Amino acid sequence: MTCEPKAQSYGQFVVRLLTVAGLVVAGAALWSLSSLVLLVFASVLVAVLLRAISEPLGRIARLPQTWALAVTVLSFVLLLSIGSAFFGAAVLKQFSGLAARLPDSIRTLEMQLRQLGVSPDALEWVRSALAEPKIGPLTQMAASGVNAMGSVLLAFVGGVYLAAQPDLYLKGLLALFPPRICGRARRFAEDTGEALRHWIVGQLIIMVIVGL
C-alpha cells in the first residue's frame, strides 16, 4: 500500500518535468523564430486592415469582395509609392545639403582646434580621420534599410494573400488543433480578428484627427 502513492507521485513529477521541458523548448523555438513570428503578425495586421477597408467599400460601391479588395490594394500601393518618392527625395536632399556643408564644417573645426593650441600632428590626424570615408557604417545602414524594406514588402504581400482568402487560411490553422477544441479555437480566432479590426479602425480615426 505504501508503494502506490510513491509511484503516482513519481509519475506526476515526470509529467510536470516534461511539461516544463516542453514549455522551455517552445519558448526557445519562439525566440529563435521571433523574426518569423513578427512577420506573420504583421501580415495578419495588414490583412485585417485591408478587410476593414474593402468590406465597407464593397457594400457602399456594391462591388464584389474581390474587386473591392483589389481597389484597396491598388490604392495602398499608389499611396506607398507616392510617399516613398516624396520622403526619398527629401532624404536625398538632406544628404546632399549635408555633403555640401561638410567641407566648411571641417575647416571651421580645424580653425577652432588651432586657436586652442592643438599640435600640427593632432590636426593632421583629425584631418585624415575626417577625410577617410566611413564605408562600414554606411554599408550597415544600407543593409538595414534593405532588410526593413524587404520585411515590409513581405508583410504586405502576405497580408494580401490572407485578406483574399481568410477562410482558407483559418481552416488550415484550425486543422492544427484537436477536433474537441476546434470550435473554441475558431471562436477565439474570430474574436481576436474582430478585436484587431476595432483596434486598427480606432488607430486610423486617431491618426485622421491628429492630422487634421
Side-chain angles (χ1 to χ4, degrees), residues 82-161:
I82 294 174
S84 299
F86 176 77
F87 286 109
V91 171
L92 183 60
K93 184 179 179 180
Q94 293 291 331
F95 272 104
S96 300
L98 178 62
R101 292 192 300 269
L102 189 58
D104 294 335
S105 301
I106 293 176
R107 284 192 291 269
T108 303
L109 178 61
E110 290 179 359
M111 293 176 57
Q112 292 178 353
L113 292 176
R114 286 195 185 96
Q115 292 175 0
L116 293 174
V118 177
S119 64
D121 293 337
L123 284 175
E124 184 63 27
W125 181 85
V126 171
R127 189 181 298 110
S128 62
L130 293 175
E132 184 179 337
K134 303 295 188 267
I135 302 299
L138 293 177
T139 304
Q140 293 178 358
M141 290 176 59
S144 299
V146 171
N147 289 333
M149 293 176 60
S151 299
V152 171
L153 181 61
L154 287 176
F156 185 77
V157 173
V160 172
Y161 275 95

Side-chain angles (χ1 to χ4, degrees), residues 55-67:
E55 288 179 357
L57 177 63
R59 289 194 297 268
I60 295 173
R62 296 182 179 180
L63 292 173
Q65 179 58 36
T66 304
W67 285 101

Side-chain angles (χ1 to χ4, degrees), residues 1-16:
M1 295 179 62
T2 57
C3 294
E4 186 176 354
K6 291 183 179 180
Q8 290 179 355
S9 62
Y10 178 75
Q12 292 175 357
F13 171 75
V14 172
V15 170
R16 292 174 182 175

Side-chain angles (χ1 to χ4, degrees), residues 36-51:
L36 179 60
V37 173
L38 290 176
L39 183 61
V40 172
F41 181 70
S43 300
V44 172
L45 288 180
V46 171
V48 172
L49 175 62
L50 293 176
R51 297 287 296 192

